[in-house]
Amino acid sequence: MQPAQRRAYERRPIPAVAVLITVLAAAGLGGCTGSDSTPGPDDGASGDSGTAVSAEPGRYRTLPEACGAVSRKNLQALLPGAEQDDKAYEGQAAVTYDIDRRDGCRWKVETPSGTRYLTIDFQRVVSYDPSVSDDDRAQETYEEKATAAHIPDATSSPSTPSASSSRSESGASDGSSSSASPGSSSDEPGKGDNSNKSGKSGKDGKTDSGDKGTGTPSSGADASGGSDESDTASADTAPRRLDDLGDDAFLNDQLITKDSGIHRDITVVFRSSNVIATIEYDQWTTDKKHIPSSQELQEKAQDLADELTGRLNE
């Protein structure tokens, strides 16, 4: 019986070794499984990391109809002498390809004391760069206009969008560069550059271009070399920023003389969110001894700007 007992004794360690191996293997597998289940720093976030955030769109999606934006009362104050002529106050609509992006209108009234012209232009700015809001793009455009007009405190080097974004922003219907005033393209009112009235044309078919390089901002001197002391430029009438109109605004004043007469051109540009409005108000006269008043024309142009601000918010 001893040999049989010895064989049985020798077989007893085998189950213990197997159990030990099984335990160790289970522990090794559990360790691997535990390390794999630990979440990494990027787990669950890979799907959101590349999401692009678009800039906020502008407040305005449409524009008011330009020829109907000015009240009859204001038109009579701006363009006196045509109260009996209803057609004179109807205005001439600017050519445009998208009235929700650009619209303008122009009026002209002739009287014995001279001729007055009024042009208004609305431009709704749209940014096609998702990282730049419509308001920011409109502010860039506004600052470029102020710089081109040499307005004091204008940004010396406004940030300029890339050529591709500028083209896409203005669109085929806008057709204007940042420094161009209403009327520089086919869909704008028919006047020239705000910053340099010497090239103005198309007023009434007369030869208005070519010899108007003698303009001086808010000058009080007449063509004969004398001066009108009551209209000498001051801080109240000189080209300047306007603090109480829209989000940004400026006023420009130019007195221009030529052989056939003299005229004063008032330009008011203001920005409200993503819309830029431009007002050009001119008085022409052949009597060089009576210079058109800066104060009168500026006050009327600013009253109109206040009215247009209200029209945008209707």
Side-chain angles (χ1 to χ4, degrees):
M1 294 297 294
Q2 292 181 351
Q5 293 177 348
R6 184 165 53 249
R7 286 196 297 272
Y9 175 79
E10 290 175 352
R11 287 196 299 268
R12 287 176 183 175
I14 295 175
V17 172
V19 170
L20 179 61
I21 293 173
T22 303
V23 170
L24 292 177
L29 291 174
C32 294
T33 304
S35 63
D36 288 341
S37 62
T38 303
D42 296 332
D43 286 355
S46 59
D48 299 331
S49 60
T51 303
V53 179
S54 298
E56 185 178 358
R59 181 193 313 167
Y60 302 106
R61 300 301 178 90
T62 60
L63 294 172
E65 193 270 315
C67 288
V70 187
S71 66
R72 179 63 176 260
K73 180 180 178 181
N74 222 343
L75 282 173
Q76 290 176 345
L78 290 158
L79 307 167
E83 289 79 7
Q84 306 303 320
D85 184 2
D86 292 337
K87 291 186 178 180
Y89 294 131
E90 291 179 357
Q92 179 181 354
V95 177
T96 181
Y97 299 101
D98 185 352
I99 59 174
D100 287 333
R101 288 292 306 278
R102 197 83 183 241
D103 197 18
C105 193
R106 180 173 178 267
W107 294 264
K108 169 190 171 183
V109 169
E110 295 185 30
T111 65
S113 60
T115 304
R116 296 199 185 196
Y117 301 89
L118 174 64
T119 302
I120 64 173
D121 174 81
F122 294 116
Q123 177 185 0
R124 184 172 67 91
V125 179
V126 177
S127 173
Y128 293 99
D129 184 343
S131 66
V132 180
S133 69
D134 293 347
D135 282 25
D136 288 343
R137 184 72 72 194
Q139 185 173 20
E140 289 177 3
T141 303
Y142 164 84
E143 289 295 343
E144 290 166 355
K145 290 178 179 289
T147 300
H150 306 291
I151 302 301
D153 299 329
T155 305
S156 57
S157 299
S159 55
T160 303
S162 65
S164 59
S165 64
S166 297
R167 286 193 297 269
S168 61
E169 172 199 340
S170 59
S173 64
D174 294 345
S176 66
S177 67
S178 59
S179 61
S181 67
S184 60
S185 70
S186 60
D187 64 334
E188 301 170 359
K191 290 176 65 178
D193 191 346
N194 278 339
S195 62
N196 182 6
K197 301 287 185 179
S198 62
K200 191 183 301 179
S201 62
K203 287 284 188 180
D204 52 5
K206 297 179 182 179
T207 56
D208 294 337
S209 60
D211 59 344
K212 292 163 60 176
T214 58
T216 56
S218 194
S219 168
D222 63 20
S224 62
S227 66
D228 184 346
E229 294 181 359
S230 65
D231 199 42
T232 301
S234 66
D236 293 334
T237 59
R240 63 195 182 278
R241 297 269 183 166
L242 301 175
D243 298 327
D244 55 352
L245 180 62
D247 296 317
D248 298 290
F250 71 80
L251 181 149
N252 198 15
D253 186 330
Q254 288 187 308
L255 182 69
I256 300 174
T257 61
K258 56 185 300 184
D259 293 341
S260 59
I262 186 171
H263 62 97
R264 185 178 294 280
D265 300 343
I266 306 298
T267 302
V268 176
V269 178
F270 70 88
R271 179 184 71 85
S272 180
S273 184
N274 61 318
V275 169
I276 298 175
T278 302
I279 299 169
E280 293 181 344
Y281 182 41
D282 310 338
Q283 182 176 356
W284 291 57
T285 179
T286 57
D287 186 355
K288 297 181 181 180
K289 294 182 179 180
H290 294 87
I291 300 174
S293 168
S294 268
Q295 184 172 355
E296 176 200 352
L297 299 180
Q298 288 189 20
E299 287 177 354
K300 290 182 177 182
Q302 290 183 76
D303 287 344
L304 174 57
D306 289 335
E307 180 180 12
L308 297 184
T309 302
R311 295 292 187 194
L312 288 173
N313 296 324
E314 288 180 350

